[in-house]
């Protein structure tokens, strides 16, 4: 086309952002001219150490280490907690992105991959910790196999609770 199509709206319809007729829609949009990455704030990493993770646990440790090191460049002083979970949980690290070192990561091997995977309990704990410590992110490192605790809608409700506490 040689020019834009302009559809004038009466003053009564000026606030509308779209017109529809059957299966055809025309909408007014405002493109985003620029964007910036979101600030990395306080973060909780939930690391699944249930029995189903046995073969991949060392790789999961390396993945978490590498992600944290990558983010340390932009969030060095942001709070970071790494918590292992199966049907129980254990705090593996509590510090900042910039303070996670190889010794801390090596110590994670003491928590072997055993037990059942209670993702619902882990998400409930995450919501409580996020609320208490004003954390803004929760990262779940898991194979997603729920073998204990809640499932289905109850599990979804636990995940949604994170939004309610600012995650």
């Amino acid at each position: 086309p040689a020019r834009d199509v302009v559809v004038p709206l009466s003053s009564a319809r000026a606030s509308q952002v779209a017109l529809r007729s059957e299966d055809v829609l025309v909408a007014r949009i405002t493109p985003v001219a620029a964007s910036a990455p979101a600030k990395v704030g306080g973060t909780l990493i939930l690391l699944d150490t249930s029995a189903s993770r046995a073969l991949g646990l060392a790789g999961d440790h390396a993945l978490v280490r590498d992600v944290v090191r990558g983010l340390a460049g932009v969030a060095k002083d942001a709070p970071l907690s790494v918590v292992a979970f199966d049907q129980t949980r254990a705090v593996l690290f509590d510090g900042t992105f910039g303070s996670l070192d190889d010794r801390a990561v090596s110590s994670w091997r003491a928590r072997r991959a055993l037990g059942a995977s209670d993702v619902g309990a882990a998400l409930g704990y995450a919501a409580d910790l996020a609320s208490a410590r004003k954390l803004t992110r929760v990262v779940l490192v898991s194979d997603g196999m729920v073998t204990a605790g809640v499932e289905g809608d109850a599990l979804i409700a636990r995940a949604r609770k994170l939004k309610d506490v600012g995650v």
Side-chain angles (χ1 to χ4, degrees), residues 48-53 85-88 114-121 142-150:
D48 184 347
T49 58
S50 64
S52 65
R53 299 303 311 134
F85 75 93
D86 44 32
Q87 73 272 10
T88 64
L114 300 169
S117 181
D118 191 342
V119 176
S142 174
D143 58 12
M145 294 180 60
V146 177
T147 56
V150 300

Side-chain angles (χ1 to χ4, degrees), residues 6-19 26 28:
V6 177
V7 179
L9 298 175
S10 67
S11 61
R13 293 183 168 224
S15 64
Q16 290 181 326
V17 295
L19 296 172
V26 176
R28 182 182 314 155

Side-chain angles (χ1 to χ4, degrees), residues 101-164:
D101 58 17
D102 287 333
R103 194 175 81 221
V105 176
S106 294
S107 72
W108 298 352
R109 284 192 291 256
R111 170 113 178 171
R112 297 182 16 214
L114 300 169
S117 181
D118 191 342
V119 176
L123 293 176
Y125 171 77
D128 292 343
L129 188 66
S131 178
R133 295 186 51 196
K134 306 297 183 227
L135 303 177
T136 58
R137 294 181 189 268
V138 173
V139 178
L140 177 64
V141 180
S142 174
D143 58 12
M145 294 180 60
V146 177
T147 56
V150 300
E151 296 182 46
D153 290 342
L155 185 60
I156 292 168
R158 298 263 174 104
R160 285 189 175 139
K161 186 176 178 192
L162 290 167
K163 181 180 179 184
D164 296 338

